[in-house]
Amino acid sequence: MLGTIVNTLAILLGGGLGLLFRRGLSERFKAIVMQAIPLGVLFIGLSMALGGLLARRAEPLLFIISLVLGGITGEALRLEERLERLGARLQARFARGERDGRFAEGFVSASLLFCVGAMAIVGSIQDGLKGDPRVLFAKSLLDGVTSLIMASSLGPGVLFSAFAVFFYQGAIAVLAMASSVGVNQALLREMSIVGGILIFAIGLDMLAIKKTRVANLLPAIFVPALYYLPPVHEFFLRLNALLGQKR
């Protein structure tokens, strides 16, 4: 849990500094910052997804199946709506002075950005399973800088994403600690592909190019874990072998 705690504090520190700088930045500078961040997010997401897809033995259709099944699950659970509602409640409780209405946007965007991706999942598993927080330490540095910049434009909602990170990564670390089960490289590769696509979608949303209900797609990250369960994976291997013989 050490890595998760450090990650949470880094977001709070970075976001706090961003709020201090917020009043010193003109709208012109805020606008260019909020164009620069999504471009970086797009590149990170694209590199994660392509890196996994171009790797040897990548499953070419698994990410599509994951996005479809994850999207259906998230839509049924109304994850996006629940997150936005939570952001609105937090704004009403802690940020009554926010008149620009960007509290919920900052909370949802930052929460998704900090939670979606291989570093959050892999780092939390390593922290819980091996007591190795190095991946989360690296993530803490990235998240701290990003939260500083985002908070300067989107306001205090970004700070509250730290608590989403704490509970999300903490839960993964605790589950990894309790299960004592390792994660194979194939599973990490497929989760990285899906996570990269979701991060890319966040960048498009932040640039107002395409609005995607990314929160409703979050369950897609965990679909590869079901695919790599021994009985399920064995079934698909036999099915592929059978189809190959028929050809």
Side-chain angles (χ1 to χ4, degrees), residues 45-238:
L46 190 62
S47 61
M48 281 178 58
L50 289 180
L53 285 170
L54 295 176
R56 293 182 62 189
R57 299 183 179 179
E59 300 287 349
L61 297 178
L62 181 57
F63 77 94
I64 299 176
I65 296 171
S66 298
L67 290 170
V68 171
L69 294 180
I72 292 172
T73 303
E75 197 69 40
L77 295 174
R78 299 177 181 269
L79 295 180
E80 182 95 9
E81 182 182 327
R82 292 175 190 273
L83 268 177
E84 290 179 348
R85 201 179 301 162
L86 176 59
R89 286 201 199 104
L90 291 173
Q91 179 174 359
R93 176 69 177 84
F94 296 103
R96 294 188 179 91
E98 287 293 304
R99 296 182 181 179
D100 57 7
R102 306 200 77 182
F103 185 98
E105 180 186 352
F107 170 71
V108 174
S109 296
S111 297
L112 291 173
L113 182 59
F114 297 150
C115 291
V116 173
M119 288 185 80
I121 298 170
V122 176
S124 300
I125 291 173
Q126 288 186 344
D127 196 11
L129 196 63
K130 303 177 182 178
D132 182 1
R134 286 178 295 179
V135 173
L136 289 185
F137 283 171
K139 180 177 179 292
S140 299
L141 180 61
L142 295 172
D143 290 355
V145 174
T146 304
S147 64
L148 187 155
I149 300 172
M150 289 185 73
S152 68
S153 294
L154 296 178
V158 176
L159 271 74
F160 284 86
S161 68
F163 301 103
V165 169
F166 178 79
F167 288 112
Y168 174 75
Q169 292 182 178
I172 294 175
V174 170
L175 287 173
M177 195 184 306
S179 64
S180 298
V181 176
V183 179
N184 62 55
Q185 293 300 313
L187 173 56
L188 294 181
R189 179 191 64 232
E190 300 303 323
M191 293 177 83
S192 294
I193 293 171
V194 177
I197 293 171
L198 296 188
I199 290 175
F200 187 82
I202 293 171
L204 292 177
D205 190 7
M206 292 174 74
L207 285 171
I209 295 175
K210 174 65 178 177
K211 173 65 177 176
T212 305
R213 295 198 291 271
V214 182
N216 286 346
L217 291 169
L218 274 176
I221 296 178
F222 303 101
V223 173
L226 299 176
Y227 174 77
Y228 280 101
L229 287 173
V232 178
H233 196 220
E234 183 66 26
F235 168 78
F236 280 105
L237 288 177
R238 291 183 179 180

